[in-house]
Amino acid sequence: MKIAAIQMVSSPDMGRNLARARHWLEQAAAEGAQLAALPEYFCLMGQRDTDKLALAERLGEGPIQRMLAEAARDLKLWIIGGTLPLATPDPLRVRNSCLVHGPDGRLAARYDKLHLFCYDNGRERYDEARVLEAGETPVVAEAGGLRIGLSVCYDLRFPELYRAMGAPAPLDLISVPAAFTHTTGQAHWELLLRARAVENIAYLIAPAQGGLHENGRRTWGHTMIVDPWGEVLACLPEGEGLVTAEVDAARLAQVRQQLPALQHRRL
């Protein structure tokens, strides 16, 4: 299966962001991709964390979900829809949710981000828990014959999440839509992505926000696709665009046969 990871530099203008996302999904389909993944917060990078509250949608309703469903159906794509804000009973909290749509446009999976980012180095400060409600359950999506472990950004730092998802059966692909800060991304992004691919012997797709945003925030970018040996198959350092690669079932089987580490776990 050919997969595409889309990088964006999203703005505070939701309409403009949705149009750019649709453009890149169309480009992914034109390049022969059967699955395309958008970055975290593809629909909005607001001036304030609370801006996302005004855009919160109920599951199955709203312009963001409508764009994803229509694009999947029109383009005959599996779409891993980055993240969007889904409403909760608390008007001051939303879920940061990743929705997967199939080529028929139907919702195939929903994952709510489990781990909420918090960072303060004295110059930059982030605390997602101020406006986000954490998810509760790991989710594996079945898409085009692939077992896909869904995760979002900060989840990447918690290897036990991927172990839990791969316990019933190995994952074929790990998905990590992200908006890593430039500071943390420069230090840890590639290191963590390659480690998660290697230790789970799985392909990994990591579509990212990548550049200087209108709200002044700078994200690291470096959208990547990594193979089960940890080799970076494709990378886009900065700016809008996409990268593609093949998920090769034979390559996956070969690595697992040569190094059967998943069978050697004792804990």
Side-chain angles (χ1 to χ4, degrees), residues 51-75:
D51 288 354
K52 59 178 66 71
L53 299 176
L55 301 185
E57 298 184 353
R58 298 194 179 279
L59 186 63
E61 304 174 5
I64 305 170
Q65 293 173 80
R66 187 160 53 250
M67 187 282 290
L68 293 172
E70 290 176 354
R73 184 179 63 250
D74 294 347
L75 302 172

Side-chain angles (χ1 to χ4, degrees), residues 109-200:
R110 169 187 174 174
Y111 167 69
D112 298 338
K113 186 177 183 180
L114 279 166
H115 301 97
L116 302 185
F117 182 53
C118 186
Y119 179 72
D120 187 349
N121 66 0
R123 299 179 305 277
E124 303 170 79
R125 184 175 186 274
Y126 303 94
D127 185 2
E128 289 188 325
R130 287 182 298 177
V131 294
L132 296 184
E133 178 182 275
E136 300 162 344
T137 309
V139 175
V140 175
E142 301 284 344
L146 300 178
R147 295 191 79 250
I148 304 176
L150 301 180
S151 63
V152 174
C153 201
Y154 190 49
D155 286 331
L156 183 62
R157 296 183 181 273
F158 301 88
E160 63 272 21
L161 170 62
Y162 304 95
R163 283 294 196 229
M165 291 191 289
L171 300 173
D172 302 312
L173 178 66
I174 292 169
S175 171
V176 194
F180 254 58
T181 71
H182 190 274
T183 302
T184 58
Q186 187 174 39
H188 301 144
W189 174 245
E190 181 176 340
L191 172 69
L192 291 169
L193 291 176
R194 296 176 69 186
R196 295 297 86 86
V198 168
E199 67 197 11
N200 292 286

Side-chain angles (χ1 to χ4, degrees), residues 28-97:
E31 294 187 21
Q34 296 160 279
L35 179 149
L38 291 162
E40 184 181 29
Y41 297 130
F42 79 94
C43 54
L44 182 77
M45 290 288 280
Q47 297 291 353
R48 296 165 297 278
D49 286 345
T50 52
D51 288 354
K52 59 178 66 71
L53 299 176
L55 301 185
E57 298 184 353
R58 298 194 179 279
L59 186 63
E61 304 174 5
I64 305 170
Q65 293 173 80
R66 187 160 53 250
M67 187 282 290
L68 293 172
E70 290 176 354
R73 184 179 63 250
D74 294 347
L75 302 172
K76 306 303 181 201
L77 276 176
W78 286 97
I79 295 178
I80 301 174
T83 66
L84 69 153
L86 286 185
T88 74
D90 181 352
L92 299 181
R93 296 284 189 280
V94 293
R95 294 284 181 108
N96 192 20
S97 301

Side-chain angles (χ1 to χ4, degrees), residues 189-191 193-195 197-198 203-204 206 222-237 243-245 251:
W189 174 245
E190 181 176 340
L191 172 69
L193 291 176
R194 296 176 69 186
V198 168
Y203 283 88
L204 185 147
H222 291 76
T223 285
M224 287 188 191
I225 300 174
V226 184
D227 88 347
W229 194 246
E231 179 182 353
V232 177
L233 300 179
C235 177
L236 178 61
V243 294
T244 64
R251 171 64 171 160

Side-chain angles (χ1 to χ4, degrees), residues 100-111:
V100 179
H101 287 83
D104 58 2
R106 295 183 182 178
L107 181 67
R110 169 187 174 174
Y111 167 69

Side-chain angles (χ1 to χ4, degrees), residues 203 247-256:
Y203 283 88
V247 172
D248 184 343
R251 171 64 171 160
L252 199 55
Q254 177 191 48
V255 175
R256 289 175 179 170

